[in-house]
Amino acid sequence: GSGPYKFVKWDRDDRVVLEGYKDYFAGEPKWRKVIVRAIPESSTRVGELLTGGVDIATDIPPNEWDRVNGEKNVSLVNG
């Protein structure tokens, strides 16, 4: 690899699992494990975010912004 995480597993159309590389030259990474999930359905993505099933979600549709912003401990960031 070329970064602080190394490839562990890939499940097609579902997820990629990365594990922190403790001996990375710039120091140990912040997270021990990173899981990138493919969640194509926007309502499922929002539901996972609001229930704690995921820590970060992208492409939240505008019609869900008020719902997300109304939740405690959840922030919507536009960029």
Side-chain angles (χ1 to χ4, degrees):
S2 61
Y5 294 91
K6 58 185 177 180
F7 173 82
V8 174
K9 183 179 179 184
W10 170 54
D11 293 327
R12 185 183 187 117
D13 297 328
D14 184 40
R15 69 186 62 211
V16 173
V17 179
L18 306 170
E19 184 177 273
Y21 181 58
K22 294 177 187 174
D23 296 325
Y24 183 59
F25 78 95
E28 194 169 332
K30 185 172 182 174
W31 299 288
R32 184 179 51 82
K33 183 190 282 187
V34 174
I35 301 170
V36 180
R37 292 177 47 199
I39 307 174
E41 176 58 45
S42 63
S43 62
T44 303
R45 246 187 343 269
V46 171
E48 286 288 304
L49 180 64
L50 297 179
T51 61
V54 298
D55 295 315
I56 299 171
T58 61
D59 300 323
I60 304 299
N63 64 313
E64 295 282 13
W65 291 358
D66 288 338
R67 181 176 168 210
V68 171
N69 280 326
E71 287 292 317
K72 189 175 182 179
N73 299 321
V74 179
S75 299
L76 183 67
V77 177
N78 288 315

